[in-house]
Amino acid sequence: MRRRTALSTGGALLAGLSAGCLETFRREDAWRELVVDPPEGVYVPPHADGMVTYGTATAGGREIALLATRPHSFWIVADADRNRADIRSRHDVHLMVTVRDTETGTFVPASVRTAIRTRNDGTDASDDTATVDERSLWPMLSQRMGPHYGDNVPLEGDGQYTATIRIGATTTDTIGGVADGLGAETSVEIDFAFETDAIDDIERRLIDEDEGRGEADALEPMDHAVGAENSDKRDRESAAILGRATSGDVEYAATLLDADRARTDRPALAVTARTAHNAYPLPFASLSAAVSRGGDRVASAHLEETIDAMLGHCYRTAVDPSLLDGGDGLAIDLETPPQVARHEGYETAFLEGDSVTMALDA
């Protein structure tokens, strides 16, 4: 398949729209109707939006960024069910937070909560501030951003604000030289200025049919997308690669980690589960692995979500290497799909439990 640049556009089509049509296309539903019957899986969405960065901070071994774009609908996932979260008139921005390990840049699974309050801009003698919004952000996945946290948020018009971002202890194991502190809660404050016009003026580009709109493909990541960086390099530099397989828009790679690296009393089987197009990690899922011999499963185990300095985000379990040496196949079962909200283009993907078997190369 051809890869698509993130801002591939049908410029002639946009230029030819009347003012009335432009107003219509600004409505989220109108954009969505450009892909009437999306495929069951990853597909190229009808448009791509830019974003603004409000600020960054580092705390507790985490690099934290606060970003925003115009409000838009997304899909919330619970088990294998999805429900659309629509934009409301009170929503001013789609607020996003990225959380990375400072040592590796890897996405950090955690709870993320924001509290936004007004900030005195110096023109008012009063020091009073007011909290205008407080919420837990959804873990999310988008084709341009990768994994992040976000939600549509109301504010109180143009002005100065402070966002307090509270990051919970990571929900994963950490091995192999990631930053210290991920197992503890941390928080940062980021000041930002909200301007309605700045959000309204964020670039929104139509993906033309000739550029793949609605096809089973994906947009290219932004330069600062989370999670896809160095994925191939990590695989090459890691310990023994056992095998690879792709199923249902997910690419799996199995690696054997030695006991020292895995910080266990025996080696560990580590499995990365990434999007097939952009190699984004798929967090908050439930995976298991089973070794087969002669067509029969001889051993199986649940995989624990992990951050590893070389592999990045992965799932792992301790293993007896002799099982792998004597096995002829490794089955990876996606028992619970990634419990992340989906931006458009991902809402029909990664929803079903799946199983894939790879030949063991070791």
Side-chain angles (χ1 to χ4, degrees):
M1 287 182 187
R2 291 173 298 153
R3 299 302 304 277
R4 320 295 176 194
T5 60
L7 296 180
S8 296
T9 70
L13 176 58
L14 279 178
L17 291 173
S18 68
C21 287
L22 282 172
E23 288 300 321
T24 299
F25 272 110
R26 287 193 183 104
R27 292 188 304 109
E28 203 66 26
D29 288 344
W31 286 96
R32 197 176 311 289
E33 288 164 5
L34 293 175
V35 179
V36 177
D37 187 19
E40 291 298 317
V42 177
Y43 70 93
V44 178
H47 65 89
D49 284 358
M51 64 185 64
V52 296
T53 300
Y54 281 151
T56 60
T58 301
R62 282 150 281 200
E63 296 176 357
I64 301 159
L66 180 68
L67 310 101
T69 188
R70 57 170 52 85
H72 54 260
S73 300
F74 56 89
W75 286 261
I76 297 169
V77 171
D79 293 327
D81 297 325
R82 61 188 171 100
N83 293 289
R84 186 167 134 183
D86 289 319
I87 54 175
R88 305 298 182 191
S89 60
R90 67 180 182 275
H91 292 148
D92 291 300
V93 295
H94 183 78
L95 200 69
M96 296 169 288
V97 171
T98 61
V99 184
R100 309 173 191 247
D101 168 47
T102 57
E103 294 296 324
T104 64
T106 298
F107 169 78
V108 177
S111 62
V112 176
R113 188 168 183 83
T114 55
I116 300 175
R117 65 182 188 274
T118 56
R119 178 164 54 92
N120 191 334
D121 61 6
T123 62
D124 189 339
S126 173
D127 289 331
D128 291 343
T129 62
T131 299
V132 299
D133 184 79
E134 189 169 1
R135 68 184 59 219
S136 294
L137 300 183
W138 299 100
M140 295 186 140
L141 186 67
S142 77
Q143 290 186 8
R144 300 192 65 207
M145 280 280 292
H148 61 282
Y149 304 88
D151 202 353
N152 294 323
V153 171
L155 298 174
E156 291 188 348
D158 292 0
Q160 305 292 319
Y161 294 87
T162 296
T164 300
I165 305 170
R166 296 181 176 86
I167 313 296
T170 184
T171 56
T172 69
D173 290 335
T174 57
I175 60 173
V178 299
D180 293 333
L182 299 186
E185 295 183 1
T186 193
S187 66
V188 298
E189 288 191 347
I190 295 177
D191 294 334
F192 67 96
F194 170 71
E195 296 180 3
T196 303
D197 288 346
I199 298 299
D200 289 343
D201 290 343
I202 286 174
E203 187 173 24
R204 164 167 282 183
R205 299 300 184 96
L206 176 68
I207 308 300
D208 202 351
E209 288 184 354
D210 292 342
E211 297 298 329
R213 184 176 72 220
E215 292 183 10
D217 203 340
L219 300 174
E220 293 282 358
M222 289 181 165
D223 290 340
H224 54 280
V226 177
E229 62 277 289
N230 298 324
S231 59
D232 292 337
K233 180 173 180 284
R234 284 172 177 159
D235 281 351
R236 289 195 303 270
E237 292 181 354
S238 66
I241 296 292
L242 300 174
R244 301 175 186 271
T246 300
S247 178
D249 291 312
V250 182
E251 182 182 77
Y252 301 95
T255 303
L256 183 64
L257 306 179
D258 62 39
D260 289 340
R261 166 92 166 275
R263 295 197 312 189
T264 58
D265 58 359
R266 52 183 172 155
L269 170 70
V271 175
T272 57
R274 300 179 180 135
T275 63
H277 294 94
N278 289 328
Y280 291 140
L282 292 170
F284 302 108
S286 177
L287 275 71
S288 64
V291 178
S292 61
R293 186 178 298 125
D296 296 325
R297 292 192 174 191
V298 297
S300 61
H302 177 74
L303 303 177
E304 298 294 336
E305 196 169 9
T306 303
I307 298 174
D308 174 71
M310 192 64 68
L311 295 176
H313 180 276
C314 61
Y315 298 84
R316 68 166 181 143
T317 186
V319 66
D320 182 346
S322 64
L323 283 172
L324 302 173
D325 291 339
D328 53 23
L330 177 67
I332 306 299
D333 293 328
L334 179 63
E335 297 177 342
T336 303
Q339 299 298 286
V340 294
R342 318 297 173 79
H343 287 249
E344 193 170 15
Y346 279 149
E347 76 272 19
T348 57
F350 323 124
L351 287 172
E352 300 296 330
D354 195 14
S355 180
V356 64
T357 299
M358 59 185 71
L360 288 171
D361 297 331

